[in-house]
């Protein structure tokens, strides 16, 4: 969506989203278009790190020149605010470790983590 090359991080992201959907019965980010999809992700995970956005070839679709999100209402008029929802509350799950695992899997910083792993592999 941001135009960043895929790594193993996208697989972990997908795995976390699938686990959420299997547990809840509904997709974690059911966006009606890519702007709504990005807004849904930021509503739960916050604004992506500047280091990630700097590598994005499509940053200007979702963010202004100062890297702030361009917030627009979806077709139903819903405005989504970054960091406005909590995964633990959304899931209403008593197994905090399970929620934490999903949360870490869909964390925006996981992209940087897998980038570090790839760099270490190249150095070895």
């Amino acid at each position: 969506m941001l135009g960043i090359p895929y790594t193993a991080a996208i697989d972990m992201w997908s795995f976390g989203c699938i686990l959420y959907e299997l547990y809840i019965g509904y997709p974690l980010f059911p966006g009606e278009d890519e702007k709504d999809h990005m807004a849904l992700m930021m509503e739960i995970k916050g604004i992506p790190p500047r280091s990630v956005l700097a590598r994005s070839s499509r940053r200007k679709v979702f963010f202004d020149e100062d890297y702030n999100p361009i917030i627009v209402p979806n077709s139903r008029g819903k405005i989504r605010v970054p960091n406005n929802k909590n995964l633990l509350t959304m899931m209403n799950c008593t197994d905090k470790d399970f929620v934490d695992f999903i949360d870490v899997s869909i964390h925006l910083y996981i992209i940087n983590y897998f980038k570090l792993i790839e760099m270490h592999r190249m150095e070895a």
Side-chain angles (χ1 to χ4, degrees):
M1 187 173 349
L2 287 172
I4 298 172
Y6 293 127
T7 67
I10 196 69
D11 297 326
M12 284 304 299
W13 175 273
S14 298
F15 184 60
C17 290
I18 290 167
L19 287 176
Y20 176 91
E21 187 169 350
L22 287 170
Y23 183 78
I24 297 296
Y26 191 74
L28 180 55
F29 305 115
E32 59 188 35
D33 58 33
E34 64 181 4
K35 288 182 181 182
D36 191 42
H37 192 85
M38 178 63 74
L40 282 161
M41 290 188 287
M42 289 190 298
E43 188 174 45
I44 296 170
K45 299 309 299 177
I47 300 168
R50 193 178 188 103
S51 60
V52 171
L53 295 177
R55 295 192 326 260
S56 170
S57 64
R58 302 192 67 234
R59 179 184 55 81
K60 291 181 180 179
V61 174
F62 308 102
F63 301 90
D64 65 20
E65 293 299 320
D66 295 321
Y67 293 75
N68 296 311
I70 299 170
I71 298 176
V72 295
N74 66 14
S75 66
R76 293 179 307 281
K78 173 78 174 170
I79 295 177
R80 301 190 184 281
V81 178
N83 285 318
N84 196 39
K85 287 190 175 179
N86 177 291
L87 195 60
L88 184 62
T89 304
M90 289 172 57
M91 291 182 70
N92 192 25
C93 177
T94 57
D95 187 347
K96 190 172 180 326
D97 290 335
F98 178 61
V99 176
D100 285 346
F101 180 79
I102 292 174
D103 195 38
V104 168
S105 297
I106 63 168
H107 201 283
L108 298 171
Y109 294 108
I110 201 164
I111 295 168
N112 291 338
Y113 172 74
F114 278 95
K115 196 81 166 164
L116 287 172
I117 290 173
E118 288 175 21
M119 287 171 45
H120 287 298
R121 283 185 187 158
M122 287 189 226
E123 292 173 0

